[in-house]
Amino acid sequence: MVHWTAEEKQLITSIWSKVNVEECGAEALARLLIVYPWTQRFFSSFGNLSSPTAIIGNPKVRAHGRKVLSSFGEAVKNLDNIKNTYAKLSELHCEKLHVDPENFRLLGDILIIVLAAHFARDFTPACQFAWQKLVSVVAHALARKYH
Amino acid sequence: MVLSAADKTNVKGIFSKIGGHAEEYGAETLERMFITYPQTKTYFPHFDLQHGSAQIKAHGKKVAAALVEAVNHIDDIAGALSKLSDLHAQKLRVDPVNFRFLGHCFLVVVAIHHPAALTPEVHASLDKFMCAVGTVLTAKYR
């Protein structure tokens, strides 16, 4: 089980409380598809992904980004039980969607950069540490069904 | 992975925005890297790694200067960083995975200070550039 210090929990929840899930989620997913274009292979049903502009404006990307980040919210609410919180999603990603777990790490890093851009100096090194730990734990939980 | 003409323009553009802050960003990048990825500290047992350390500032300046040099010779990064490549291969032997951590932390620092300039396209170009630098620095490892 992951051990969170009180400070780490506070840094995570205080940032999360100010996150616009729809905006941040859309931006994070769009950036994933733009910065690491091979990730587009999982979204062939999303329509036009032919350019950064197309990706950013794509309503399916926005909607899915929001979905993805909302589920992060579940992790934030259940920091002491992330493994079980993601059990079903892990099954889905591993057994049905066949997503390479490396992609979870890539999305986590992109999310960190999006948060850094939004929160600027408030995204202190200590904040970054807590959030990198969170995205790493989430990535691990999502990849669990592969093990 | 190849840097397109657009990538080179984007990288030169963002570094031009960074301007004289490069040294400061170099130090901040290192500080974040040491905090976020504590295993990277193993390469600096001789350093004071506390916040504000003069050694981190000095080393950040060195790292930033190398990045700026690479940007100024973006058509031949391997040539520009050849000596550094030798150093990393023969003496420092920093495990290749750590260049990814450094690159990521640098992007975080740029995001913090220039959020509007770090558009998705520029983000992609800068990420590719940092990968290219890492590749050059580890090219002679074996």
Side-chain angles (χ1 to χ4, degrees):
Chain A
M1 206 193 83
V2 185
H3 171 73
W4 300 97
T5 66
E7 194 203 357
E8 285 165 2
K9 286 188 175 185
Q10 193 272 323
L11 288 168
I12 290 169
T13 54
S14 100
I15 286 275
W16 183 255
S17 68
K18 299 175 206 142
V19 166
N20 178 325
V21 171
E22 180 166 357
E23 282 308 316
C24 267
E27 197 180 339
L29 186 62
R31 281 179 187 256
L32 179 76
L33 299 173
I34 292 166
V35 177
Y36 307 113
W38 55 92
T39 57
Q40 293 170 25
R41 71 183 286 274
F42 299 105
F43 300 98
S44 51
S45 66
F46 274 29
N48 188 3
L49 299 177
S50 60
S51 70
T53 312
I55 290 170
I56 293 164
N58 185 312
K60 285 187 170 170
V61 170
R62 291 192 70 84
H64 196 71
R66 179 189 189 165
K67 206 179 187 180
V68 167
L69 201 59
S70 299
S71 92
F72 249 88
E74 289 305 301
V76 174
K77 274 192 278 189
N78 296 284
L79 287 174
D80 293 322
N81 194 18
I82 291 180
K83 209 164 64 182
N84 288 327
T85 302
Y86 275 94
K88 281 209 159 62
L89 276 175
S90 181
E91 241 175 72
L92 175 70
H93 282 77
C94 298
E95 292 167 14
K96 188 161 173 257
L97 303 175
H98 306 297
V99 178
D100 185 324
E102 178 63 10
N103 293 286
F104 308 141
R105 200 194 53 77
L106 291 178
L107 181 63
D109 278 353
I110 294 263
L111 178 60
I112 298 287
I113 290 170
V114 169
L115 291 177
H118 281 255
F119 291 96
R121 278 180 179 80
D122 285 345
F123 198 66
T124 61
C127 238
Q128 184 181 349
F129 177 82
W131 272 87
Q132 297 271 185
K133 188 169 163 180
L134 175 62
V135 302
S136 161
V137 169
V138 168
H140 190 81
L142 273 173
R144 237 179 131 247
K145 284 296 190 297
Y146 277 136
H147 301 164
Chain B
M1 185 209 65
V2 167
L3 292 175
S4 69
D7 288 326
K8 292 177 185 179
T9 303
N10 286 340
V11 171
K12 284 181 182 285
I14 193 81
F15 267 82
S16 147
K17 273 222 154 54
I18 289 171
H21 292 284
E23 294 176 1
E24 180 197 318
Y25 294 1
E28 195 180 337
T29 296
L30 288 176
E31 186 186 3
R32 282 180 182 266
M33 188 185 72
F34 293 137
I35 289 169
T36 308
Y37 307 104
Q39 63 271 34
T40 55
K41 295 192 284 190
T42 62
Y43 295 101
F44 299 90
H46 51 302
F47 266 33
D48 163 19
L49 295 178
Q50 294 195 71
H51 176 69
S53 133
Q55 286 175 308
I56 293 188
K57 280 201 172 78
H59 199 68
K61 200 172 164 178
K62 265 192 196 168
V63 169
L67 291 177
V68 169
E69 185 71 1
V71 174
N72 290 340
H73 298 90
I74 204 163
D75 292 322
D76 181 18
I77 297 175
L81 300 185
S82 176
K83 284 207 161 59
L84 271 178
S85 183
D86 291 336
L87 179 71
H88 283 76
Q90 292 150 20
K91 190 158 170 262
L92 303 176
R93 294 176 293 185
V94 172
D95 191 291
V97 72
N98 295 292
F99 296 102
R100 220 180 52 199
F101 297 150
L102 181 76
H104 173 63
C105 289
F106 182 67
L107 272 151
V108 168
V109 171
V110 172
I112 285 170
H113 294 279
H114 303 278
L118 197 71
T119 63
E121 292 93 325
V122 171
H123 177 167
S125 299
L126 194 55
D127 191 79
K128 281 170 80 173
F129 170 75
M130 294 305 289
C131 280
V133 168
T135 298
V136 162
L137 290 176
T138 56
K140 302 175 193 177
Y141 272 28
R142 55 176 173 170

